[in-house]
Amino acid sequence: MNLLAIESSCDETSAAIMVNGELRSNIVSTQLIHTQWGGVVPELASRAHQKSIIPVVHEALQKANINKNELNAIAFTRGPGLLGALLIGTSFAKALALSLDIPLIEVNHMEAHVLAHFIEDPKPSFPFLCLTVSGGHTQLVWVKSPLEMEVIGETQDDAVGEAFDKTAKLIGLPYPGGPMIDKLAKEGNPNRFPFPLGEMPGLDFSFSGIKTAILYFLQKEQKNNPQFIEENKADICASVQKTLIDMLLRKVKKAMKEKNCQQIAIAGGVAANSGLRNGIQELGAQQNWDVFIPAFSYCTDNAGMIAMAGHFKAEAGIFCGQDVSPLPRMAMK
Ligand code: KG4
Ligand code: ZN
């Protein structure tokens, strides 16, 4: 089974080849054009996908040493994501599948983030809990099988990745700010500036309050000292990062208890954060949990995870027709 997978939901154009469940190539082209605008510009993302998709697919095939005529199916991200961006990957996948006369597999991007855990060992066994944290989502997912997932908690406003990116913007760091905050936080004191953790009922999250608290805090401090941000950058980053991680881990602990679960996984772009990776390891050791953390390259958006999700669907004989269209707000099944 030679599977081509396409990911184009946001600002990464990516293609991967999976052969019988084994990932042979995973090419990611990150769109740099958005940096100068301080965030992803949907229109520019679509154009960049249009430009990169053929070279990226070509490279994925070449690296895997597979000819396009040897492909047996094509998996693609149907949603959630930016409509114009999803349209490029979806249309490309449909056209190529039609010309090669092979089946199509639609993939939910958020399910694929979770299933990235099955690309390499060690793999969790079912059921397990996954904290999926990205630029657009923050979810606690109860994973019953590769095809059966239930969102048991999620953010009611901003995603945690957005909180990282918006804080970075406030302190003058370029987009995407998450990795920059992570880097600076390593040299800072996480206990220097305490921010409120907020209180959300049940297993849901909220990150809009912390964003406002940071904004007011910085405005107040800058009134007394215009150099405040410059002089305290590392401590601000470390303190904000610690707060965001504490907010996440508090709910993880609660959900693990409710589900009486021993296996925790993290996924999504923010799972690349070193503070979160260390934090979940420490909590896991304390609680006697098995902790699953994907390689960095499978945390942020990539087609390897789309291939993995596509592989599970192909195994179950689940394909889609040529009448499929993207779903910007696609829900998990
Ligand atoms: O999963 P992803 O690549 O795209 C979405 O589906 O949204 O996640 C992107 C998000 C961005 O908000 C980015 O700032 C954040 O992941 N991110 C990080 C780190 N690396 C990526 N946030 C904190 N620390 C990092 N090291
Ligand atoms: Zn993502």
Side-chain angles (χ1 to χ4, degrees), residues 113-114 116-124 128-131 133 249 263-285 289-299:
H113 269 303
V114 174
H117 281 281
F118 295 87
I119 297 174
E120 282 178 355
D121 287 330
K123 296 165 186 158
F128 65 95
L129 186 78
C130 186
L131 171 71
V133 277
L249 295 185
Q263 296 180 99
I264 178 73
I266 57 170
V270 182
N273 183 271
S274 56
L276 178 59
R277 292 168 91 91
N278 293 336
I280 196 94
Q281 287 284 18
E282 276 167 30
L283 183 63
W289 299 335
D290 289 328
V291 179
F292 298 88
I293 301 176
F296 285 109
S297 52
Y298 303 136
C299 287

